[in-house]
């Protein structure tokens, strides 16, 4: 917003007067006992106030440009791919690679279109999916092997990723994933 009191009243006098009038009207309406109809009147003035502010006093946000650092992103991705089963997160990775979490997320968003934590979760889920389809290990074991703190967290994340629980996914797709060795 660029609404700055007296300076704004000189650069946009009509809009400034409209904002002031809407605020005064809302103030006056709030001094009377409220009814449903009065609430609607207050809201209509409030929305008109927002329209005036939006049309006259907003400034577009400047897009922050991030210089891509592919080396950092590749190095962190390699570390995640090797150590996904360990208790790591974006903060520990940022600390390990001597950057802030904000910088690390900016680099990941610029280069991978994911935050570092979303990328880590995706790698964990993809490895868990592989274990679900290739082994008969219990869900709890797979969750721990893939870096999830417990099976409940694993189930929730897997379900949001694939739309079904790990057990249901295994039952639905494991038979298609097994390689038929009888023909070899």
């Amino acid at each position: 917003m660029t609404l700055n009191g007296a300076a704004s009243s000189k650069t946009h006098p009509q809009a400034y007067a409209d904002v002031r009038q809407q605020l005064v009207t809302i103030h006056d309406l709030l001094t009377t006992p409220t009814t449903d109809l009065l609430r609607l009147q207050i809201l209509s003035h409030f929305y008109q106030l927002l329209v005036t502010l939006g049309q006259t006093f907003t400034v577009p946000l400047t897009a922050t440009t991030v210089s891509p650092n592919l080396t950092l992103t590749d190095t962190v991705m390699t570390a995640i791919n090797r150590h996904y089963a360990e208790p790591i997160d974006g903060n520990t990775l940022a600390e390990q690679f001597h950057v802030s979490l904000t910088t690390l997320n900016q680099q990941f968003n610029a280069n991978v279109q994911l935050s570092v934590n979303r990328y880590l979760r995706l790698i964990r889920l993809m490895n868990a999916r592989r274990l679900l389809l290739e082994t008969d290990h219990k869900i709890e074991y797979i969750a721990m092997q893939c870096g999830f703190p417990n099976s409940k967290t694993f189930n929730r994340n897997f379900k949001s990723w694939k739309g079904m629980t790990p057990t249901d996914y295994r039952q639905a797709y494991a038979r298609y994933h097994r390689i038929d060795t009888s023909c070899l």
Side-chain angles (χ1 to χ4, degrees):
M1 295 294 233
T2 60
L3 187 59
N4 295 318
S8 296
S9 69
K10 290 177 182 156
T11 56
H12 302 288
Q14 184 58 47
Y16 189 82
D18 289 346
V19 166
R20 186 178 187 291
Q21 183 56 48
Q22 295 298 335
L23 289 171
V24 169
T25 304
I26 291 170
H27 176 269
D28 292 344
L29 289 172
L30 287 172
T31 60
T32 60
T34 57
T35 64
D36 289 340
L37 186 57
L38 185 64
R39 284 188 189 108
L40 287 174
Q41 281 182 302
I42 293 169
L43 278 175
S44 70
H45 289 285
F46 177 73
Y47 289 134
Q48 186 57 47
L49 170 70
L50 290 178
V51 167
T52 303
L53 288 171
Q55 289 175 339
T56 310
F57 298 106
T58 57
V59 177
L61 293 174
T62 56
T64 57
T65 56
V66 176
S67 299
N69 185 344
L70 293 173
T71 305
L72 174 65
T73 306
D74 288 344
T75 306
V76 174
M77 288 172 68
T78 300
I80 290 172
N81 292 340
R82 287 186 183 150
H83 304 288
Y84 65 89
E86 297 172 15
I88 58 174
D89 62 10
N91 288 320
T92 58
L93 289 165
E95 195 174 296
Q96 179 183 347
F97 291 98
H98 309 290
V99 295
S100 70
L101 180 59
T102 302
T103 298
L104 189 57
N105 276 323
Q106 286 175 340
Q107 290 300 320
F108 263 75
N109 282 322
N111 296 313
V112 188
Q113 286 74 49
L114 293 171
S115 70
V116 67
N117 283 323
R118 286 191 67 197
Y119 179 80
L120 174 60
R121 183 173 55 239
L122 183 61
I123 293 301
R124 287 176 170 162
L125 287 168
M126 289 169 52
N127 281 288
R129 178 187 167 276
R130 181 182 51 79
L131 289 175
L132 279 170
L133 297 176
E134 293 177 358
T135 69
D136 292 329
H137 295 307
K138 292 185 178 202
I139 302 300
E140 294 80 14
Y141 177 82
I142 292 173
M144 297 306 286
Q145 289 299 304
C146 293
F148 290 97
N150 54 53
S151 60
K152 184 177 179 180
T153 302
F154 171 54
N155 282 334
R156 183 175 21 94
N157 281 284
F158 195 90
K159 188 169 184 176
S160 71
W161 182 49
K162 288 294 184 182
M164 59 178 73
T165 65
T167 303
D168 292 341
Y169 189 86
R170 176 183 266 169
Q171 290 171 350
Y173 296 105
R175 66 176 173 254
Y176 302 116
H177 192 74
R178 303 226 188 269
I179 298 172
D180 184 9
T181 57
S182 63
C183 63
L184 299 175

